[in-house]
C-alpha cells in the first residue's frame, strides 16, 4: 500500500478493519507524523521553516499566506487540505485520516480538536475505524478549545464559540456555541467593531 491508495480508502468512508493492511499503513503514517511534529514542536522555527515542515507532513504545498503557531499535533497529516491565508493557533490536534479541509481565510483557535474517525459501536469490532471527513468553509472563525466531530461541515463565514462541541453541520454565516453546539444567531454582516 502507498499513501495515495490509503487516502483513497479513507476518503471512501469504508470501515477500516483492525490489523488490516490499511490499519497497519495508518500506524506507519502515524509514526512518520510523530517524527515530523516532534521536530516542528520542540524548537523555534521561522515561518518559512514551519511551512516546509507542514509540506513534509501533509505532502502538499503550504498555501500562500497560511500561518501556524506550534505546537501542532496530528496522527497522520496526509489528509489535511488547507486554503490560502488559513491561521492555525497553538496546541491544535487534527486527527485527519478521514480528511480535513479548511477553506481560505479561516482562523482556527488554540487547542482546537478536529476528529475524523469513529470506532465501531459493536464491542467485538471496537478497534475498527469508520472515517468521515470534516469540511470547514471559507472565512470561518473557530474559537479556542473547540471540538469538531467526524462528518461535520461548517459553512462559509460561520463562527464557532469557544469551548463548543460541534457534532452536526453548521450553516453559513451563523454563530453556534455550547455542548453540543447549537445556533445562537446569524452573523451580523453589517456589524463593525
Amino acid at each position: 500500500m502507498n499513501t495515495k491508495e490509503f487516502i483513497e480508502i479513507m476518503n471512501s468512508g469504508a470501515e477500516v478493519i483492525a490489523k488490516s493492511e490499511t490499519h497497519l499503513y495508518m500506524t506507519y503514517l502515524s509514526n512518520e507524523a510523530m517524527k515530523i511534529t516532534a521536530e516542528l514542536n520542540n524548537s523555534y522555527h521561522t515561518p518559512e521553516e514551519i511551512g516546509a515542515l507542514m509540506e513534509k507532513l501533509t505532502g502538499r504545498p503550504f498555501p500562500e499566506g497560511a500561518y501556524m503557531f506550534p505546537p501542532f499535533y496530528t496522527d497522520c497529516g496526509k489528509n489535511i487540505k488547507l486554503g490560502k491565508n488559513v491561521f492555525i493557533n497553538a496546541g491544535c490536534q487534527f486527527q485527519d485520516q478521514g480528511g480535513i479541509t479548511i477553506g481560505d481565510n479561516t482562523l482556527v483557535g488554540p487547542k482546537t480538536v478536529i476528529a475524523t474517525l469513529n470506532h465501531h459501536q459493536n464491542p467485538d469490532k471496537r478497534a475498527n475505524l469508520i472515517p468521515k471527513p470534516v469540511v470547514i468553509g471559507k472565512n470561518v472563525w473557530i474559537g479556542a478549545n473547540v471540538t469538531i466531530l467526524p462528518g461535520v461541515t461548517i459553512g462559509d463565514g460561520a463562527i464557532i464559540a469557544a469551548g463548543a462541541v460541534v457534532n452536526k453541520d453548521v450553516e453559513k454565516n451563523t454563530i453556534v456555541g455550547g455542548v453540543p453546539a447549537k445556533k445562537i444567531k446569524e452573523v451580523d454582516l453589517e456589524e463593525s467593531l
Side-chain angles (χ1 to χ4, degrees):
M1 175 168 289
N2 61 39
T3 301
K4 182 180 178 194
E5 292 168 336
F6 172 78
I7 296 300
E8 287 173 1
I9 292 167
M10 299 309 287
N11 289 345
S12 77
E15 183 175 342
V16 176
I17 307 302
K19 299 183 182 175
S20 65
E21 180 183 13
T22 304
H23 192 251
L24 294 175
Y25 196 79
M26 184 184 300
T27 301
Y28 164 78
L29 289 177
S30 293
N31 283 305
E32 183 179 281
M34 285 188 283
K35 181 178 179 183
I36 297 167
T37 56
E39 183 178 353
L40 175 68
N41 295 335
N42 290 310
S43 65
Y44 171 78
H45 296 285
T46 66
E48 295 77 20
E49 291 168 338
I50 291 169
L53 286 165
M54 286 301 291
E55 288 183 7
K56 187 175 177 183
L57 179 66
T58 64
R60 294 178 170 85
F62 198 56
E64 175 186 329
Y67 196 67
M68 170 187 290
F69 287 166
F72 174 76
Y73 305 97
T74 182
D75 53 2
C76 183
K78 301 300 186 211
N79 212 0
I80 298 172
K81 299 173 193 126
L82 302 175
K84 294 178 183 175
N85 303 311
V86 166
F87 173 66
I88 301 169
N89 214 322
C92 291
Q93 169 73 48
F94 288 10
Q95 181 198 52
D96 64 286
Q97 289 92 337
I100 295 173
T101 302
I102 301 176
D104 296 345
N105 306 308
T106 286
L107 308 174
V108 181
K111 298 184 181 176
T112 291
V113 174
I114 303 175
T116 65
L117 293 176
N118 276 319
H119 287 277
H120 203 289
Q121 288 187 19
N122 181 333
D124 295 334
K125 299 180 180 181
R126 188 64 44 88
N128 293 359
L129 299 165
I130 301 158
K132 291 184 180 179
V134 169
V135 178
I136 300 169
K138 297 177 182 178
N139 301 302
V140 173
W141 175 17
I142 299 170
N145 291 300
V146 167
T147 299
I148 303 170
L149 297 179
V152 166
T153 296
I154 298 174
D156 294 348
I159 298 173
I160 313 300
V165 175
V166 185
N167 66 348
K168 61 183 177 182
D169 292 353
V170 176
E171 295 177 23
K172 70 178 186 173
N173 296 320
T174 58
I175 301 172
V176 302
V179 180
K182 296 189 183 331
K183 182 176 177 179
I184 297 170
K185 65 180 184 175
E186 300 286 325
V187 170
D188 185 349
L189 299 175
E190 300 301 316
E191 181 180 331
S192 63
L193 299 175

